[in-house]
């Protein structure tokens, strides 16, 4: 009995039917403010700027998330 191992090249893309979502978290100590996750990236940007305007907190951790699709390349 023998085993044949064949290496196949793959590619990874964002799933065409998926959407990117974004969330943000204020990094000011003890604040805890968060936005999202939502698909409207511009909305989270505006929310962050509004938060800075109200509080003076200028730094945020933003996370972008998508659905990945892996498929073989070639014959
Ligand atoms: Zn804050």
């Amino acid at each position: 009995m023998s085993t044949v191992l064949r290496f196949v090249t793959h590619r990874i893309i964002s799933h065409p039917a998926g959407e990117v979502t974004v969330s943000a978290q204020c990094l000011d100590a003890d604040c805890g403010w968060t936005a999202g996750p939502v698909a409207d990236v511009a909305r989270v940007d505006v929310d962050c700027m509004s938060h800075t305007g109200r509080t003076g907190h200028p730094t945020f951790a933003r996370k972008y998330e998508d659905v990945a699709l892996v498929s073989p390349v070639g014959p």
Side-chain angles (χ1 to χ4, degrees):
M1 181 172 156
S2 64
T3 301
V4 177
L5 297 176
R6 193 166 68 103
F7 295 95
V8 179
T9 302
H10 289 80
R11 69 175 182 159
I12 185 167
I13 61 171
S14 291
H15 196 293
E19 63 183 9
V20 176
T21 58
V22 61
S23 61
Q25 178 181 0
C26 178
L27 293 180
D28 195 86
D30 302 324
C31 177
W33 178 88
T34 61
V38 295
D40 188 348
V41 176
R43 177 73 248 168
V44 171
D45 287 349
V46 169
D47 288 348
C48 288
M49 289 185 281
S50 296
H51 181 72
T52 300
R54 287 191 309 273
T55 64
H57 303 162
T59 54
F60 302 87
R62 293 194 294 183
K63 292 181 184 174
Y64 294 85
E65 184 173 284
D66 69 349
V67 176
L69 175 65
V70 174
S71 56
V73 174

